[in-house]
Amino acid sequence: MMNWIIWIVSFVSLYIGVFWLHVVFFKEEPRKVLSEKFPNVSVVVPARNEEKGLWKTVHSIAMSDYPKEKIQIVIVNHGSIDKTEKVANKLIRCFSEHNIKLVNMKHEKGHMKSHAFNEGLKFATGKYVACVDADSIVMEDAIRGIIPFFDDKDVGAVISTIKVTKPTNIYEKLQHLEYMFATFTRTLMSKIDTLHISQGALSIYRKDLLDKFGGFDEGNFTEDLEIAMRLRYKGHKIKIAKECVSFTKVPDSFKMLWGQRVRWFRGFLYNTNKYKGMVMNKKYGLLGTFQYPLNILSVVTVLLMFSLLSYALIKKAIYFVDKFAIVGMDYFAWTWPSIKDIILSLNVTLLFPIAISFGVALFIYHQAHKNLKERWRYPEALVVYLTLYPFVRGMHWMTAFYKEVIRAKKKW
């Protein structure tokens, strides 16, 4: 049974992988130049206890090569109990030639980033509104590079490429690879108009659409995903500006990474259910007939493979305990097998699809690096990412699924 499932999953994955690799060579139409070359842009920076990161974030925005008279920066101090407000006021003094506004709001129970962003949106005066997390750094040409995408009147939001800020330990290096792959897949989705994701590091929206649709969903703890899906639901496009880069601080411990990913995956499950009317709906083109079904199939596959693998490991553990109880320490008596024994013991029916899957994965990661003109780094992280990390991600998904089923309390 396990063999058949692995073969089916491997075949489907290979088929989908070949499709996406064809998309790599699709060419997008060149962007036109906006008639309004430098429209006003408001950058909302929600900040709760961000005294350490706020300075670098706002400094990077202020140093943008976009005309400073066309940028408004709105810092929303969301009930911070550290020196966030003090840092914000110092930024206002140091960059007095820039239009920087500090908005203080009380943090109440149940408040999340969405509340802070919506509060900042009330003070935004730009034609376009950017959301930038207070632990991110925006490259100087990012805003200027994103704005021309809005020459297409159907585009509701444009996202940047996200990179990890100076990864040092294994958790950050794993996420470096993950973010590379995410940018690659989002670039492909953008090409075939199935992109349905925005992010906190740097995403820019049409303000009139945010006003019309009510801003971020304040009952949602993946508000950036929800607003992107809402824009798609309302008939607007999401694009990625691959050349426009923002850097973000990522979780640097197992506990922090666990909490973030379970929250993200719960948000995916919740919002996919919220907009289930788009699934297999021809009105939404490939997004409805291909991308959403593929997303759901991917999650089901992960949960299925995780369950089967867990069952197999538990079965092996029980077998070991039983054998050890009977044989004792002699169980560990072991002699080197011959090459013939090793070859005869190989399960080719399992090794072949697994080898093919690894080959495709390596090729895709090569394309992801090529896409961003990055050199290969952190080989140890790549080994972990392709071997152990899928099992950990399965645990993330299983936990997220369980919490959604029992409707566990949403915590930021």
Side-chain angles (χ1 to χ4, degrees):
M1 182 65 178
M2 175 71 82
N3 290 5
W4 277 107
I5 291 174
I6 291 177
W7 267 95
I8 292 171
V9 170
S10 299
F11 177 78
V12 173
S13 300
L14 180 60
Y15 182 83
I16 294 171
V18 170
F19 168 80
W20 283 119
L21 290 176
H22 273 83
V23 177
V24 170
F25 302 102
F26 286 6
K27 291 185 178 180
E28 293 184 284
E29 294 182 5
R31 296 188 302 277
K32 301 174 183 177
V33 179
L34 281 174
S35 55
E36 185 182 1
K37 191 173 182 182
F38 295 114
N40 291 334
V41 178
S42 295
V43 183
V44 177
V45 184
R48 175 168 169 76
N49 299 328
E50 294 286 357
E51 62 176 0
K52 294 181 180 179
L54 184 61
W55 183 275
K56 289 182 179 179
T57 299
V58 175
H59 179 269
S60 70
I61 299 167
M63 291 294 100
S64 167
D65 62 5
Y66 204 81
K68 63 177 180 291
E69 67 275 9
K70 295 289 186 176
I71 291 185
Q72 175 199 29
I73 303 174
V74 182
I75 303 171
V76 182
N77 175 31
H78 193 191
S80 299
I81 57 176
D82 64 356
K83 297 179 182 178
T84 295
E85 183 178 358
K86 183 178 180 180
V87 172
N89 283 316
K90 186 176 180 180
L91 281 162
I92 292 173
R93 292 193 301 271
C94 290
F95 295 97
S96 57
E97 70 279 13
H98 290 75
N99 180 9
I100 304 178
K101 182 176 183 62
L102 171 62
V103 176
N104 288 305
M105 70 175 294
K106 184 180 179 181
H107 178 76
E108 298 180 2
K109 187 177 180 179
H111 272 196
M112 295 180 281
K113 189 185 83 173
S114 52
H115 294 81
F117 178 83
N118 287 343
E119 185 67 20
L121 187 61
K122 297 175 183 177
F123 298 89
T125 58
K127 183 176 181 179
Y128 302 101
V129 178
C131 179
V132 178
D133 289 340
D135 58 359
S136 302
I137 296 175
V138 177
M139 298 305 289
E140 64 176 12
D141 59 348
I143 297 175
R144 182 193 284 262
I146 285 176
I147 293 301
F149 281 81
F150 288 103
D151 73 283
D152 183 344
K153 300 301 180 183
D154 291 330
V155 172
V158 182
I159 67 175
S160 63
T161 285
I162 308 180
K163 294 185 179 183
V164 175
T165 304
K166 297 180 180 178
T168 53
N169 66 22
I170 188 63
Y171 301 106
E172 294 169 330
K173 291 175 181 178
L174 284 171
Q175 290 168 90
H176 165 80
L177 293 173
E178 201 169 29
Y179 276 57
M180 293 267 295
F181 180 68
T183 296
F184 180 60
T185 55
R186 290 171 186 179
T187 301
L188 299 183
M189 286 191 286
S190 184
K191 284 186 176 184
I192 62 172
D193 192 26
T194 63
L195 185 58
H196 54 287
I197 299 165
S198 63
Q199 67 230 357
L202 173 61
S203 296
I204 301 183
Y205 308 87
R206 291 187 187 273
K207 185 177 185 297
D208 59 345
L209 293 181
L210 291 178
D211 291 337
K212 181 180 179 180
F213 300 144
F216 283 0
D217 181 359
E218 295 184 353
N220 201 302
F221 55 17
T222 50
E223 70 295 320
D224 41 11
L225 173 62
E226 193 281 333
I227 188 61
M229 295 179 76
R230 196 184 336 159
L231 287 171
R232 295 309 315 251
Y233 185 75
K234 298 292 185 179
H236 300 279
K237 299 177 183 177
I238 310 290
K239 290 292 183 181
I240 183 171
K242 184 184 69 175
E243 300 82 5
C244 304
V245 179
S246 57
F247 287 84
T248 191
K249 184 77 173 66
V250 296
D252 58 2
S253 68
F254 183 87
K255 181 180 179 180
M256 291 178 65
L257 181 60
W258 179 278
Q260 185 193 67
R261 295 313 158 90
V262 170
R263 177 172 63 84
W264 282 4
F265 296 164
R266 283 190 68 187
F268 170 86
L269 295 170
Y270 176 84
N271 289 308
T272 298
N273 181 62
K274 180 177 180 179
Y275 293 103
K276 58 182 178 292
M278 298 174 70
V279 180
M280 297 307 296
N281 191 331
K282 293 181 180 179
K283 173 184 175 182
Y284 298 100
L286 283 175
L287 177 63
T289 59
F290 171 73
Q291 190 67 58
Y292 276 178
L294 177 61
N295 291 349
I296 295 170
L297 176 63
S298 298
V299 174
V300 171
T301 301
V302 168
L303 294 176
L304 175 63
M305 294 302 292
F306 175 79
S307 299
L308 290 173
L309 182 58
S310 298
Y311 171 76
L313 290 174
I314 292 172
K315 190 176 179 181
K316 284 282 187 182
I318 293 174
Y319 175 80
F320 167 77
V321 172
D322 287 343
K323 278 287 187 180
F324 184 75
I326 297 171
V327 180
M329 292 303 294
D330 289 339
Y331 180 80
F332 295 100
W334 185 77
T335 57
W336 286 97
S338 66
I339 296 177
K340 181 180 178 180
D341 292 334
I342 294 174
I343 293 175
L344 291 175
S345 66
L346 292 176
N347 189 341
V348 179
T349 58
L350 285 180
L351 285 178
F352 180 74
I354 291 174
I356 293 295
S357 299
F358 265 86
V360 172
L362 288 173
F363 183 73
I364 289 175
Y365 282 114
H366 169 71
Q367 289 295 323
H369 282 77
K370 184 178 178 181
N371 179 60
L372 290 177
K373 299 177 181 178
E374 287 265 352
R375 63 183 180 85
W376 281 64
R377 292 186 290 171
Y378 315 128
E380 74 284 6
L382 180 60
V383 171
V384 174
Y385 193 87
L386 294 177
T387 55
L388 299 178
Y389 194 55
F391 186 76
V392 176
R393 282 177 65 87
M395 294 171 65
H396 293 158
W397 277 110
M398 191 62 75
T399 305
F401 181 76
Y402 171 74
K403 288 193 172 185
E404 277 301 293
V405 168
I406 67 171
R407 297 183 179 181
K409 184 178 179 181
K410 297 179 179 179
K411 295 181 180 180
W412 183 261

